[in-house]
C-alpha cells in the first residue's frame, strides 16, 4: 500500500521486534538551549501511543523531530527500522508519514477542494482523496468551494484530519487535536483517530489533557521538562496522572 | 475622435505591458513573500538579450524571443532564487527589501558592462509599421500582438494557479510552507518555478516595450517599475485587480500625454514646468493607490524580524569612539592629498546621511528610499540661503528637509514594510523628475555652494565633518537609550504589544520621520558644501540605492555602522580612482576593477541575506568570541572584575556600541505574545491607526 509500511510488511512475517517509530536518545535544542534531553520512545506497529505533558515539556519538539521538521542534535529516529535522521519532511510525507501539526493543519486561503488536492502530493489520487474525505465528512462536501480559513474551528480540524484518513499513511503524528475545540468535537475527532487506528495505522498523538486520548491509546508516555518520566498502559497511568501534573 | 482612439489604443497597449510585468511580480510575491524590486531590471536585461540575439546576431524574431524567455530568463530566475532568495527565510522585511534592492542595483550596473552605454541600441516593432484601421486610427500589428499576449498571459496564469496541482501548491506554499512540506509537496521546486515564471514575464514585458522607449538601462528598469503601481492595485495578490490597475495606469498615462495642456504662461514665467508631471503619473498613482487601499489588507508576509540584533550603546564607549574618530581624522588628514581629503569628506557626509537611517530603519523598522531626496533639499537650501557661509543655510536645510519629511510621513503613517519602501521610492522619483529638474530651483543641473563659515581648507572641513558626525551620532546614542528609543524598538518588534501598552505609534512614527529627514537634510547640505556645489545628479532616485545598501551593510542599527557604510562608499570611489591603467592578458584591467567597485554596493547588499546584522556587528561578534575563549583559557574565576567588563575593555573602540547586545525576541516569542493577547495583527493596526 505504501513503501514504509510495505518494507516491514504490515502483515508479513512476525515483525514484533521492529517498531514503526522509534526514538533513541534523541536530544534537540533551539539555538544553544537544549529542550529534549535524551528521549527514548517506541510506537509499536499498529498501536496508538499518547504523549502527554504540560506546556513547554517538549512534546511538539519531539513530534517535529519525528516529522523531519526539527533536526536532533544527538540520537536517532527510526521509522520502520530505518534511520531517518535528516530526512526532509516532504520526503517523509511521500513515504507514508502523515503529520498534522499544532494549530490548524490547513491552508486557510485555499478552498476545501484545493486543500484536498494538496493531499495528493503524498501519492494518492484526487478521486480517492475526495471519496474518503467527503464520505467521512459530508460537511466538507457541502463546503468544497469555500475558503478553508472561513470554516469553523471544528470543521477546519476535520479537514486536517481528512489527510490522516485519505492519504493512507503508515504512521500518523498528531499534535494537540483538541486545541481550542468543544469537548463534543474532540470526542468526534478521537472517534476518527480510533477508526484510523483500527485500519492498522500506527499513531503518535500529543495532548496536554489526557482524558479523551487515553480512551483510544494503547500506551501512554508522560513527558516533563524534556524527559520521558513514565511509560505504560493508560489504565496504570491514569490514576497517577491527575496528581502528577494536571493538578486535578 | 481619431486622436482619442489613438490615445486609447496606446493606453491599452501600455496597460498590457504593465499587466504582463505586474503579473510576474505578483506571481513571485505570492509564492515567496518577497517583493522583487529587481523585477524591472530583469525585464531590462531581457530586452537587451533580445537585442543581442535578434539585432546583433540576426536570429529570427521568434527564435530570439524563445531563447530569452525559455533560457535566459529562467537562468536569471533560478540564479536569483538559489543564490539570493533562499537565504532570506526568517529575516526581517527590511533585509528582504534591501537584498532585492541590492540585486536591482547590481543588475543596473551589470548591463552597461556588457552593453556599453556608448553604443546605440534599438529594436523594431514586430511586423514593422504594418497596421490595420480601427475607427479611423491606425493600430499596428505590434500593438495587437502586445494586447493579445497580455490576454494569453492572464488566461494562462489563471489556469496555472487555480487549475493545476502545481499552481495550487504554489499558493499553498505562501499560506503555510511547513504544512505544504508535510503534505509532501516540494516547496523549493515550487518557488524556483515561480521565480522562473516571474523572470520570464518580466523579460517578456521588457521585450515588448523596448521598441517604444529604446534600450536605456535606467529608463527601461524604471518603466517596468511603473508596473509596481498596477501590482499594488491588485494588493500584490490579485491578478484580476492587477489587470484593472494596469488598465487605469496605461490609459491615464496615454491621456495625460495626449491632452495635458502646454505649460501655462504663469508657470513658464517662473521657470516651472508642469508638463514634467506627466512623467511622474505612474508614480503618483502608486502613491495614491497606496493611500487609498484599505490598509488593514495591506499586509506583508511575516512582519517580525528574527536574526537581527539591536545593540544598545553605552555613553562612555560612544564618547571614546567619537573622540577616537575626531582624533584619527585630525591626525590622518594632514597626510592626505587635497583630492583624497575631499573623497573622505564625502564619505563622512554619506555617513551623516546614513545616520538618518539609524533611528528610522535601524531602531524603528521603517524603510525609506528617499533619504537622498531629503539630502537634495538640504543641498538646495544651502545653495540658496547659505551664501557667504551663512549658518542660516544649514538651519534652513534641516528645516526644509524635515518639512518634506512630514509630507512623506503623513501619508506613509499607515504603511510599513515594502509598501513604505515603495512609497518613499515613489517620492524620490517625483523629487527627481518633477522638483529637482525645475529651472526655477536649479537653473542648471548644478548650483554653487559656499561652505559653512567659509571653511575653505579641505582638511578643516574634514575635521569639522567628523565633529558634526560625532555630535549627531551622540544624539542618536542618547535617543536609543531614551524612552523614545524604546518606543521605536517596540514599534519594530510587535505592533500588537504596542497597542496593549497604549503606545501611540502615529506620533512616534511622525517624529522619527521628521528627525530622520532633518538629519538627511543636514547631511545633504554638508555634502554640497564639501563639493562646493549642489548637483542634482547626486540626489536622483537611483542614488538612494547605494546609500541604503551601504548603511545596512555597515549595520543599520548602529552609529558605527553608518560611519562604516559612509566610509566604505567613499573608499570605493577612492579605489576606483587609484587604479592605474593596466592591461592583464589583453583585458583592460582598469575598467574591470572600476566595474567591480561600481558593483560593490550591490554585491555586498546581496550577501546581507546571510548576515543581516552588518559588518560592524559581525566583526565585534567575532572579537567577542575570541576574547571569551581567551578568558576561559586563563580561568575567569580569578579575575577581580566580572568577565563582561573585561570583554568591553578590549573591544575595538569603533565597535563599542555592540557592547551589551541584548537578545531580541524571536519571532515565535512575539507570535506567542500576540497570540496570548488574542490580538490579530490587522485588528491591532486598525486600532492603532484609527
Ligand atoms: N522556536 C523555538 N525557539 C526557542 N525555543 C523554543 C521554540 N519552540 C519551543 N521552544 C521551547 O522548547 C520547549 C519545548 O517546547 P514544545 O513546544 O516542544 O513544548 P510542548 O510540550 O509542545 O508545549 P505545549 O503544550 O505548550 O504545546 C519550551 O521550553 C519552549 O519554550
Ligand atoms: Mg506543543
Amino acid at each position: 500500500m505504501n513503501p514504509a509500511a510495505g518494507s516491514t510488511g504490515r502483515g508479513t512475517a512476525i515483525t514484533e521486534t521492529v517498531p514503526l517509530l522509534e526514538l533513541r536518545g534523541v536530544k534537540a535544542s533551539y539555538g544553544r538551549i537544549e529542550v529534549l534531553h535524551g528521549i527514548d520512545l517506541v510506537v509499536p506497529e499498529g498501536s496508538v501511543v499518547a504523549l502527554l505533558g504540560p506546556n513547554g515539556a517538549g512534546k511538539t519538539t519531539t513530534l517535529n523531530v519525528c516529522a523531519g521538521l526539527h533536526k536532533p542534535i544527538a540520537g536517532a529516529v527510526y521509522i520502520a527500522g530505518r534511520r531517518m535522521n535528516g530526512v526532509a519532511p516532504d520526503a517523509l510525507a511521500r513515504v507514508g508519514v502523515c503529520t498534522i501539526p499544532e494549530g490548524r493543519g490547513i491552508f486557510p486561503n485555499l478552498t476545501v477542494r484545493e486543500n484536498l488536492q494538496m493531499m495528493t502530493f503524498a501519492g494518492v489520487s484526487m478521486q480517492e482523496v475526495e471519496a474518503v474525505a467527503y464520505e467521512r465528512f459530508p460537511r466538507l462536501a457541502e463546503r468544497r468551494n469555500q475558503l478553508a480559513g472561513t470554516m469553523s474551528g471544528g470543521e477546519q480540524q476535520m479537514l486536517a484530519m481528512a489527510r490522516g484518513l485519505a492519504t493512507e499513511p503508515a504512521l500518523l503524528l498528531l499534535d494537540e487535536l483538541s486545541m481550542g475545540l468543544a469537548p463534543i468535537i474532540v470526542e468526534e475527532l478521537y472517534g476518527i483517530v480510533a477508526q484510523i487506528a483500527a485500519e492498522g495505522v500506527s499513531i503518535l498523538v500529543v495532548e496536554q489533557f489526557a482524558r479523551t486520548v487515553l480512551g483510544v491509546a494503547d500506551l501512554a508516555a508522560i513527558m516533563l521538562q524534556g524527559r520521558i518520566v513514565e511509560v505504560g498502559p493508560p489504565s496504570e497511568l491514569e490514576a497517577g496522572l491527575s496528581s502528577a501534573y494536571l493538578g486535578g | 475622435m481619431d486622436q482619442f482612439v489613438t490615445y486609447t489604443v496606446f493606453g491599452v497597449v501600455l496597460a498590457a505591458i504593465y499587466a504582463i510585468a505586474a503579473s510576474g511580480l505578483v506571481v513571485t510575491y505570492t509564492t515567496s513573500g518577497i517583493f522583487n524590486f529587481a523585477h524591472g531590471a530583469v525585464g531590462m536585461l531581457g530586452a537587451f538579450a533580445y537585442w543581442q540575439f535578434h539585432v546583433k546576431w540576426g536570429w529570427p524574431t521568434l527564435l530570439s524571443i524563445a531563447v530569452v524567455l525559455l533560457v535566459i530568463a529562467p537562468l536569471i530566475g533560478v540564479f536569483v532564487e538559489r543564490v539570493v532568495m533562499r537565504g532570506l527565510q526568517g529575516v526581517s522585511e527590511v533585509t528582504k527589501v534591501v537584498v532585492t534592492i541590492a540585486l536591482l542595483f547590481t543588475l543596473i550596473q551589470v548591463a552597461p558592462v556588457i552593453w556599453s552605454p556608448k553604443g546605440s541600441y534599438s529594436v523594431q516593432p514586430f511586423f514593422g509599421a504594418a497596421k490595420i484601421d480601427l475607427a479611423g486610427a491606425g493600430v499596428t500589428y505590434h500593438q495587437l500582438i502586445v494586447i493579445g499576449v497580455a490576454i494569453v498571459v492572464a488566461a494562462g496564469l489563471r489556469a496555472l494557479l487555480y487549475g493545476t496541482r502545481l499552481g495550487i501548491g504554489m499558493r499553498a506554499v505562501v499560506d503555510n510552507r511547513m504544512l505544504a512540506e508535510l503534505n509532501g509537496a516540494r516547496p523549493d521546486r515550487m518557488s524556483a518555478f515561480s521565480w522562473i515564471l516571474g523572470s520570464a514575464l518580466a523579460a517578456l514585458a521588457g521585450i515588448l516595450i523596448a521598441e517604444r522607449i529604446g534600450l536605456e538601462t535606467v529608463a527601461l528598469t524604471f518603466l517596468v517599475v511603473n508596473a509596481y503601481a498596477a501590482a499594488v492595485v491588485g494588493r500584490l495578490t490579485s491578478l484580476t485587480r492587477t489587470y484593472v490597475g494596469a488598465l487605469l495606469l496605461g490609459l491615464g498615462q496615454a491621456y495625460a500625454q495626449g491632452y495635458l495642456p502646454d505649460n501655462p504662461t504663469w508657470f513658464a514665467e517662473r521657470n516651472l514646468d508642469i508638463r514634467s508631471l506627466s512623467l511622474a503619473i505612474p508614480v503618483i498613482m502608486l502613491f495614491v493607490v497606496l493611500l487609498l487601499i484599505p490598509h488593514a489588507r495591506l499586509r506583508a508576509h511575516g512582519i517580525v524580524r528574527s536574526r537581527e540584533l539591536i545593540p544598545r550603546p553605552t555613553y562612555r564607549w560612544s564618547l571614546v569612539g567619537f573622540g577616537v574618530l575626531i582624533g584619527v581624522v585630525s591626525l590622518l588628514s594632514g597626510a592626505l592629498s587635497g583630492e583624497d581629503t575631499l573623497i573622505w569628506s564625502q564619505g563622512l557626509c554619506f555617513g551623516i546621511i546614513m545616520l538618518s537611517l539609524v533611528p528610522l530603519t535601524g531602531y524603528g523598522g521603517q524603510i525609506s528610499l528617499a533619504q537622498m531626496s531629503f539630502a537634495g533639499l538640504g543641498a538646495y537650501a544651502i545653495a540658496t540661503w547659505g551664501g557667504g557661509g551663512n549658518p542660516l543655510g544649514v538651519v534652513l536645510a534641516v528645516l526644509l528637509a524635515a518639512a518634506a519629511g512630514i509630507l512623506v510621513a503623513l501619508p506613509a503613517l499607515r504603511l510599513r514594510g515594502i509598501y513604505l519602501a515603495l512609497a518613499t521610492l515613489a517620492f524620490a522619483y517625483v523629487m527627481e523628475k518633477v522638483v529637482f529638474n525645475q529651472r526655477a530651483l536649479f537653473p542648471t543641473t548644478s548650483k554653487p555652494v559656499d561652505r559653512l563659515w567659509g571653511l575653505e581648507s579641505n582638511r578643516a572641513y574634514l575635521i569639522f565633518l567628523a565633529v558634526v558626525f560625532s555630535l549627531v551620532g551622540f544624539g542618536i546614542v542618547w535617543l536609543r537609550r531614551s524612552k523614545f528609543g524604546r518606543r521605536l524598538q517596540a514599534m519594530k518588534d510587535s505592533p500588537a504589544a504596542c497597542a496593549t501598552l497604549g503606545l501611540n505609534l502615529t506620533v512616534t512614527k511622525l517624529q522619527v520621520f521628521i528627525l530622520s529627514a532633518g538629519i538627511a537634510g543636514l547631511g545633504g547640505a554638508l555634502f554640497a558644501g564639501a563639493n562646493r556645489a549642489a548637483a542634482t545628479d547626486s540626489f536622483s532616485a537611483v542614488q538612494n540605492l547605494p546609500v541604503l545598501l551601504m548603511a545596512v551593510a555597515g549595520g543599520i542599527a548602529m552609529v558605527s555602522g553608518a560611519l562604516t557604510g559612509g566610509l566604505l562608499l567613499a573608499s570605493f570611489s577612492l579605489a576606483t580612482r587609484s587604479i592605474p591603467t593596466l592591461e592583464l592578458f589583453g583585458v583592460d584591467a582598469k575598467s574591470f576593477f572600476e566595474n567591480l567597485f561600481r558593483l560593490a554596493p550591490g554585491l555586498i547588499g546581496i550577501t546581507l541575506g546571510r548576515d543581516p546584522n552588518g559588518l560592524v556587528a559581525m566583526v565585534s561578534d567575532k572579537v567577542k568570541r575570541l576574547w571569551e575563549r581567551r578568558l576561559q583559557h586563563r580561568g575567569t574565576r580569578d579575575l577581580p572584575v566580572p568577565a563582561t567588563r573585561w570583554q568591553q575593555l578590549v573591544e575595538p573602540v569603533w565597535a563599542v556600541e555592540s557592547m551589551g547586545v541584548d537578545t531580541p525576541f524571536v519571532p515565535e516569542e512575539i507570535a506567542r505574545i500576540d497570540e496570548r493577547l488574542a490580538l490579530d495583527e490587522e485588528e491591532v493596526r486598525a486600532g492603532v491607526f484609527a
Side-chain angles (χ1 to χ4, degrees):
Chain A
M1 177 156 50
N2 79 49
S7 61
T8 47
R10 190 186 290 174
T12 54
I14 314 128
T15 53
E16 46 177 290
T17 50
V18 184
L20 204 76
L21 173 69
E22 185 178 2
L23 302 184
R24 279 191 215 151
V26 166
K27 293 185 180 178
S29 66
Y30 291 99
R32 285 186 204 167
I33 303 164
E34 190 178 292
V35 296
L36 298 184
H37 315 289
I39 300 290
D40 295 297
L41 185 68
V42 168
V43 178
E45 192 173 346
S47 64
V48 179
V49 175
L51 184 58
L52 306 170
N55 280 118
K59 308 179 298 288
T60 298
T61 310
T62 309
L63 203 89
N64 285 351
V65 167
C66 302
L69 290 169
H70 194 106
K71 237 180 141 168
I73 48 171
V77 181
Y78 294 88
I79 294 178
R82 266 184 281 166
R83 199 180 141 99
M84 288 295 196
N85 286 35
V87 176
D90 54 315
L92 285 177
R94 288 190 297 272
V95 297
V97 176
C98 177
T99 310
I100 298 183
E102 205 169 20
R104 307 272 172 259
I106 56 145
F107 301 100
N109 293 311
L110 301 190
T111 64
V112 169
R113 216 189 99 86
E114 286 169 339
N115 265 279
L116 295 179
Q117 202 157 359
M118 286 303 292
M119 298 175 190
T120 63
F121 278 104
V124 279
S125 76
M126 186 62 183
Q127 281 88 341
E128 284 176 73
V129 173
E130 281 192 302
V132 174
Y134 293 156
E135 191 217 339
R136 188 64 190 75
F137 305 106
R139 199 119 44 109
L140 293 182
E142 285 164 30
R143 301 177 173 244
R144 66 182 79 192
N145 291 320
Q146 187 175 334
L147 287 187
T150 61
M151 297 196 302
S152 76
E155 287 162 349
Q156 292 184 21
Q157 199 62 286
M158 282 171 195
L159 178 56
M161 279 297 292
R163 184 152 57 89
L165 275 171
T167 59
E168 299 173 0
L171 174 63
L172 182 58
L173 305 171
L174 296 170
D175 197 352
E176 300 216 28
L177 270 190
S178 61
M179 195 194 265
L181 298 178
I184 182 158
I185 295 175
V186 176
E187 291 283 340
E188 188 181 342
L189 287 171
Y190 273 104
I192 297 161
V193 173
Q195 185 190 336
I196 297 174
E199 288 171 18
V201 178
S202 313
I203 301 175
L204 176 63
V205 49
V206 160
E207 275 292 350
Q208 245 183 72
F209 299 102
R211 293 204 208 303
T212 328
V213 68
L214 288 183
V216 294
D218 302 312
L219 273 176
I222 293 177
M223 192 165 189
L224 283 178
Q225 294 176 0
R227 290 197 171 77
I228 294 204
V229 292
E230 215 176 334
V231 185
S235 51
E236 284 175 24
L237 287 177
E238 206 159 5
L241 261 182
S242 52
S243 56
Y245 73 94
L246 294 177
Chain B
M1 186 61 208
D2 294 357
Q3 258 195 346
F4 178 76
V5 176
T6 309
Y7 293 145
T8 307
V9 170
F10 174 55
V12 173
V13 170
L14 266 187
I17 292 169
Y18 290 156
I20 294 167
S23 51
L25 198 60
V26 169
V27 165
T28 45
Y29 180 72
T30 48
T31 48
S32 63
I34 294 168
F35 183 87
N36 186 12
F37 278 87
H39 193 69
V42 175
M44 177 268 295
L45 282 186
F48 270 100
Y50 171 69
W51 175 87
Q52 183 77 32
F53 298 139
H54 183 56
V55 179
K56 187 81 188 289
W57 294 343
W59 296 4
T61 310
L62 276 181
L63 177 67
S64 309
I65 294 180
V67 173
V68 173
L69 297 191
L70 302 179
V71 182
I72 306 293
L75 282 178
I76 299 176
V78 167
F79 169 81
V80 170
E81 200 268 338
R82 282 290 134 107
V83 181
V84 185
M85 302 304 162
R86 266 242 180 129
L88 288 187
Q89 272 159 33
V91 302
S92 71
E93 192 123 28
V94 175
T95 308
K96 284 183 187 170
V97 168
V98 164
V99 170
T100 62
I101 284 175
L103 187 65
L104 163 67
F105 190 69
T106 309
L107 295 181
I108 292 183
Q109 306 287 329
V110 162
V113 175
I114 310 176
W115 295 282
S116 159
K118 290 182 201 105
S120 84
Y121 311 90
S122 66
V123 293
Q124 296 303 311
F126 307 136
F127 300 104
K131 55 179 75 173
I132 60 159
D133 186 75
L134 181 87
V139 182
T140 65
Y141 284 3
H142 184 92
Q143 291 177 318
L144 288 176
I145 290 175
V146 170
I147 296 171
V149 167
I151 294 170
V152 170
V153 165
L157 281 180
R158 209 177 159 80
L160 171 74
L161 288 176
Y162 293 87
T164 68
R165 195 176 72 161
L166 175 63
I168 291 170
M170 283 162 68
R171 285 163 54 221
V173 169
V174 189
D175 245 13
N176 188 339
R177 192 183 180 94
M178 180 193 87
L179 188 61
E181 283 179 70
L182 291 178
N183 270 277
R186 294 178 170 92
D188 284 354
R189 283 194 201 176
M190 285 168 183
S191 45
F193 179 76
S194 75
W195 281 96
I196 289 173
L197 193 61
S199 292
L201 289 169
L204 183 60
I207 293 172
L208 294 176
I209 205 164
E211 156 272 326
R212 158 136 240 110
I213 62 158
L215 288 160
E216 204 274 307
T217 322
V218 176
L220 212 50
T221 301
F222 269 82
L223 231 119
V224 188
V225 168
N226 290 350
Y228 292 171
V232 171
V233 173
R235 293 179 187 144
L236 300 185
T237 48
S238 156
L239 284 173
T240 319
R241 275 195 226 108
T242 299
Y243 269 67
V244 173
L247 202 60
L248 289 176
L249 183 61
L251 289 175
Q253 219 179 344
Y255 294 144
Q257 279 172 19
Y259 294 117
L260 212 64
D262 279 343
N263 205 27
T265 39
W266 190 91
F267 287 98
E269 278 165 8
R270 284 160 185 78
N271 271 328
L272 291 168
D273 179 11
I274 58 159
R275 277 193 68 89
S276 59
L277 273 177
S278 76
L279 287 174
I281 281 182
V283 172
I284 293 171
M285 172 166 148
L286 174 66
F287 216 87
V288 171
V289 167
L290 282 172
L291 297 178
L292 289 185
I293 288 184
H295 55 77
R297 302 277 181 84
L298 274 186
R299 63 180 300 173
H301 293 266
I303 51 127
V304 287
R305 79 217 159 85
S306 56
R307 279 149 50 191
E308 278 114 282
L309 298 170
I310 304 273
R312 204 177 133 89
T314 62
Y315 287 128
R316 185 152 51 117
W317 290 102
S318 309
L319 284 176
V320 173
F322 295 133
V324 169
L325 172 68
I326 297 171
V328 167
V329 166
S330 312
L331 283 177
L332 287 188
S333 57
L336 291 176
S337 76
E339 229 173 309
D340 286 356
T341 314
L342 186 64
I343 290 185
W344 289 118
S345 298
Q346 292 172 344
L348 278 180
C349 293
F350 279 124
I352 295 172
I353 296 172
M354 289 177 193
L355 272 184
S356 74
L357 286 168
V358 172
L360 185 70
T361 314
Y363 302 161
Q366 313 293 319
I367 308 168
S368 165
L369 281 167
Q371 298 312 95
M372 283 311 273
S373 307
F374 296 132
L377 287 173
Y380 169 75
I382 199 172
T384 312
W385 298 296
N390 189 345
L392 184 67
V394 173
V395 173
L396 288 176
V398 173
L399 292 180
L400 184 64
I406 301 180
L407 212 70
V408 179
L410 277 179
L413 280 178
R414 51 215 296 274
L415 306 174
R416 55 184 292 159
I418 47 174
Y419 296 100
L420 186 58
L422 275 174
T424 51
L425 185 62
F427 172 77
Y429 192 76
V430 170
M431 290 299 287
E432 174 191 337
K433 293 288 174 201
V434 184
V435 178
F436 292 153
N437 72 358
Q438 297 295 346
R439 274 189 300 157
L441 299 184
F442 289 91
T444 61
T445 53
S446 177
K447 230 176 149 160
V449 171
D450 293 332
R451 283 186 182 170
L452 196 57
W453 297 310
L455 284 171
E456 286 312 317
S457 138
N458 278 343
R459 185 176 173 197
Y461 198 72
L462 183 66
I463 297 171
F464 166 69
L465 287 174
V467 174
V468 175
F469 181 92
S470 303
L471 288 176
V472 178
F474 190 77
I476 288 175
V477 169
W478 173 78
L479 189 85
R480 170 70 181 92
R481 298 183 60 91
S482 72
K483 212 165 153 187
F484 186 64
R486 289 197 294 276
R487 233 170 222 260
L488 287 176
Q489 168 99 54
M491 173 163 85
K492 184 180 185 184
D493 278 352
S494 173
C498 275
T500 50
L501 296 174
L503 284 182
N504 188 344
L505 288 183
T506 314
V507 174
T508 309
K509 208 165 170 183
L510 197 59
Q511 286 167 332
V512 72
F513 249 102
I514 294 170
L515 173 77
S516 166
I519 297 173
L522 173 69
L526 297 175
F527 182 78
N531 296 327
R532 293 196 172 84
T536 50
D537 282 2
S538 320
F539 307 108
S540 65
V542 179
Q543 295 302 327
N544 282 294
L545 308 182
V547 168
L548 179 70
L549 292 178
M550 295 321 295
V552 176
I556 190 94
M558 285 183 284
V559 171
S560 51
L563 182 64
T564 312
L567 295 184
L568 266 176
L569 206 52
S571 69
F572 295 145
S573 50
L574 205 64
T576 314
R577 221 169 44 86
S578 57
I579 305 166
T581 318
L582 85 168
E583 221 172 85
L584 286 177
F585 312 111
V587 179
D588 180 1
K590 182 175 167 65
S591 75
F592 172 79
F593 282 110
E594 276 175 6
N595 289 327
L596 195 67
F597 285 119
R598 215 165 290 144
L599 285 181
L603 294 179
I604 292 175
I606 287 175
T607 62
L608 283 171
R610 305 281 139 92
D611 201 319
N613 293 317
L615 223 57
V616 173
M618 211 164 82
V619 173
S620 72
D621 190 50
K622 291 254 157 65
V623 171
K624 200 176 279 179
R625 282 215 198 126
L626 271 180
W627 182 250
E628 270 171 16
R629 216 175 293 161
R630 259 187 75 192
L631 283 180
Q632 278 166 10
H633 190 65
R634 282 208 233 129
T636 41
R637 272 156 309 175
D638 303 335
L639 291 172
V641 250
T644 46
R645 293 283 297 278
W646 283 94
Q647 285 169 29
Q648 289 182 3
L649 285 175
V650 287
E651 280 190 344
V653 241
W654 52 275
V656 282
E657 297 169 74
S658 42
M659 267 168 248
V661 168
D662 43 351
T663 327
F665 288 134
V666 298
E668 283 79 13
E669 285 167 338
I670 295 168
R672 215 170 295 166
I673 293 169
D674 287 355
E675 192 183 73
R676 193 119 338 137
L677 296 168
L679 284 171
D680 179 75
E681 188 202 310
E682 291 178 8
E683 273 171 35
V684 169
R685 220 162 327 134
V688 172
F689 296 116

